Amino acid sequence: MNKKIVLLFLFVPLLMALPVFAADSQWVLEQSTLAYHVSHPLHQTEGMSHAARGKGVCHDGQCDFLIAVPVKSFDSGDSNRDLHMLQVTRGAQFPMVTVRTRLPETVASSATINADLEVQFAGQTADYKQVPFQLTTQGNETKISGTIPATLSDFKIDPPTLLTLPIKNEIPVRVEMTWRKQ
Amino acid sequence: MNVKEARVLNGLGILMLSIAISQPLQAQTSQPSPNNQPASTSHEKTPPSDNLPDAPSGSKTTEPSLGDLGFPSAQTQSNPEEQARLDKRTHMLKIHQRMGLITTVPLLATLLTSLNAGGKNTSTTSRNVHNALGAVTADLYFTTAYFAIRAPRIPGTQTKGPIRLHKALAWIHGPGMILTPILGIMAYDQRNRGEKVHGLAAAHAPVAIITAGAFGAALLSVSLKF
């Protein structure tokens, strides 16, 4: 009898605490392609990176995501342009681009989401509200694609020039990511 | 109180105790919401310091931090020296670009005046004008080259893209820009002596054309996408 009481005493709190732990889940960024697009009267250029890492932590039905990518990892196929990009974006001083967002845990089952993004880049922080993304979920994997409507002025970056002609202010960033739930 | 009632009371007591114990556990793992607001709106209300990528996770907030992502610290740390090197490099290459564009003006003028400087029916004046323009072109060219050569190199950078062609063409127009004036002086002297341009000096025009062509191609290689 005493043994049973002791066991009950030990297990009931654990059993009650279980749902709390079970509600926690994590997401890990498996694969990613981030590409910025630059427009110039003489050039249309894309710089691409596959070096992003990301993590999502879910609690109480809300998930906090952090995605980070080194500025240096973007490759436009022209080393001279990449170094120039690194310079104008102050990429050595602020080597990482980070994106934070909070989403309801249930969105994984949606086909589209609108996310509020907080982007830190070039020593500046810019908020993008209701950025649409497309989702495809298969098992534990969710593929997300969309475009962040970034501009140079959002991050106080002076537009680089080629032959005295500046590039356009708009530098949309195409995002393709595969997340795995853990 | 019989034995059965005592057991039921014992059970209830344990249950109450269990609930009391489990509450702090839930409190530790729940999302912090400073103003008792729903978690979905707290993103905008979160103090900026909590949003910093380097903010430690698990202390006040459960948001992931940059440290959780496993980037090497060397990759995430600010490097002001490298930024200064990049700034200097860009500054020097901007001057290089501007000077290169300026150089094309006397270069084209030199090519145009060469029509009256060579051949049978030429005057000393046209040769002098061609000579002077050639000298200005060479001066501007070497100033342009200086800013490219002296621009700081960024360690670990692998050269790729159109800049490779731009640099390769320098091996043609660079020696060409040294040879052309030398051959030009030789040709100038021969013409002033009333001689027909001969020997090495006869290569002045072809070398100049190749040099100008390589220079133009180098300019276009970084200006146009092909």
Side-chain angles (χ1 to χ4, degrees):
Chain A
M1 168 65 195
N2 281 343
K3 223 174 190 178
K4 279 182 184 172
I5 290 171
V6 170
L7 280 173
L8 199 65
F9 184 80
L10 281 172
F11 282 109
V12 168
L14 287 173
L15 285 170
M16 291 201 69
L18 256 180
V20 176
F21 291 118
D24 296 351
S25 60
Q26 286 199 351
W27 290 84
V28 172
L29 183 60
E30 289 269 301
Q31 284 178 357
S32 67
T33 302
L34 305 177
Y36 70 83
H37 187 91
V38 167
S39 297
H40 184 268
L42 298 174
H43 289 271
Q44 294 292 319
T45 306
E46 221 171 52
M48 208 173 280
S49 172
H50 302 288
R53 294 185 190 185
K55 191 178 178 182
V57 179
C58 302
H59 284 289
D60 297 340
Q62 292 291 326
C63 301
D64 291 302
F65 286 92
L66 170 67
I67 302 112
V69 60
V71 183
K72 229 179 201 178
S73 66
F74 284 88
D75 184 356
S76 71
D78 182 340
S79 55
N80 194 45
R81 182 165 47 227
D82 291 339
L83 285 174
H84 196 190
M85 181 278 284
L86 204 60
Q87 187 269 328
V88 293
T89 61
R90 302 179 286 280
Q93 202 175 349
F94 305 103
M96 303 298 288
V97 186
T98 62
V99 181
R100 285 185 180 277
T101 188
R102 170 172 283 187
L103 296 166
E105 204 169 1
T106 50
V107 295
S109 55
S110 314
T112 55
I113 53 164
N114 289 308
D116 292 344
L117 308 176
E118 184 196 86
V119 182
Q120 288 191 353
F121 174 43
Q124 303 293 323
T125 304
D127 290 309
Y128 297 94
K129 301 285 178 195
Q130 298 294 298
V131 180
F133 289 96
Q134 285 74 49
L135 269 72
T136 319
T137 303
Q138 281 183 331
N140 275 347
E141 277 191 356
T142 299
K143 289 183 180 177
I144 297 175
S145 60
T147 302
I148 303 170
T151 64
L152 294 171
S153 52
D154 290 340
F155 301 98
K156 296 186 170 63
I157 296 168
D158 294 328
T161 57
L162 176 66
L163 302 174
T164 70
L165 298 168
I167 65 165
K168 273 190 187 174
N169 186 39
E170 289 77 23
I171 45 159
V173 181
R174 188 164 47 83
V175 176
E176 282 169 23
M177 296 185 291
T178 304
W179 289 83
R180 180 179 284 276
K181 194 173 187 178
Q182 290 188 326
Chain B
M1 188 184 289
N2 59 27
V3 178
K4 207 173 181 181
E5 282 173 340
R7 279 181 185 172
V8 170
L9 276 174
N10 263 341
L12 277 173
I14 290 164
L15 200 63
M16 295 291 282
L17 193 62
S18 305
I19 292 165
I21 290 168
S22 67
Q23 285 309 308
L25 278 175
Q26 290 190 15
Q28 278 171 16
T29 53
S30 64
Q31 190 70 28
S33 50
N35 301 326
N36 247 0
Q37 288 177 334
S40 59
T41 59
S42 68
H43 179 68
E44 287 172 25
K45 304 283 181 191
T46 313
S49 58
D50 284 351
N51 280 336
L52 289 170
D54 290 323
S57 64
S59 53
K60 272 179 74 179
T61 172
T62 54
E63 287 179 19
S65 71
L66 195 55
D68 296 336
L69 302 182
F71 284 106
S73 59
Q75 210 169 6
T76 58
Q77 276 171 359
S78 177
N79 189 339
E81 288 101 36
E82 190 173 323
Q83 188 61 50
R85 200 159 42 239
L86 283 165
D87 290 344
K88 190 180 177 188
R89 179 185 176 277
T90 295
H91 176 69
M92 291 187 80
L93 291 181
K94 269 186 181 172
I95 297 173
H96 168 73
Q97 192 189 92
R98 204 164 296 159
M99 293 293 292
L101 286 171
I102 293 167
T103 307
T104 54
V105 178
L107 178 71
L108 288 171
T110 310
L111 286 174
L112 284 171
T113 54
S114 70
L115 300 172
N116 294 324
K120 286 176 184 174
N121 301 316
T122 60
S123 68
T124 310
T125 311
S126 57
R127 277 199 298 276
N128 284 341
V129 169
H130 177 70
N131 190 11
L133 283 168
V136 170
T137 304
D139 283 349
L140 285 170
Y141 174 86
F142 288 112
T143 311
T144 303
Y146 169 84
F147 283 97
I149 293 163
R150 298 295 295 169
R153 300 283 176 270
I154 307 299
T157 307
Q158 195 187 352
T159 306
K160 60 181 171 183
I163 195 71
R164 287 179 70 180
L165 177 63
H166 185 79
K167 284 183 175 179
L169 286 165
W171 291 101
I172 300 172
H173 60 69
M177 275 290 181
I178 297 167
L179 271 178
T180 305
I182 295 167
L183 297 172
I185 291 164
M186 287 164 70
Y188 180 82
D189 289 343
Q190 287 172 8
R191 288 295 296 167
N192 282 352
R193 286 197 298 269
E195 297 170 10
K196 194 184 169 191
V197 176
H198 61 276
L200 274 176
H204 170 66
V207 169
I209 288 165
I210 291 167
T211 303
F215 182 86
L219 197 145
L220 292 174
S221 70
V222 286
S223 309
L224 302 173
K225 198 174 187 179
F226 53 88

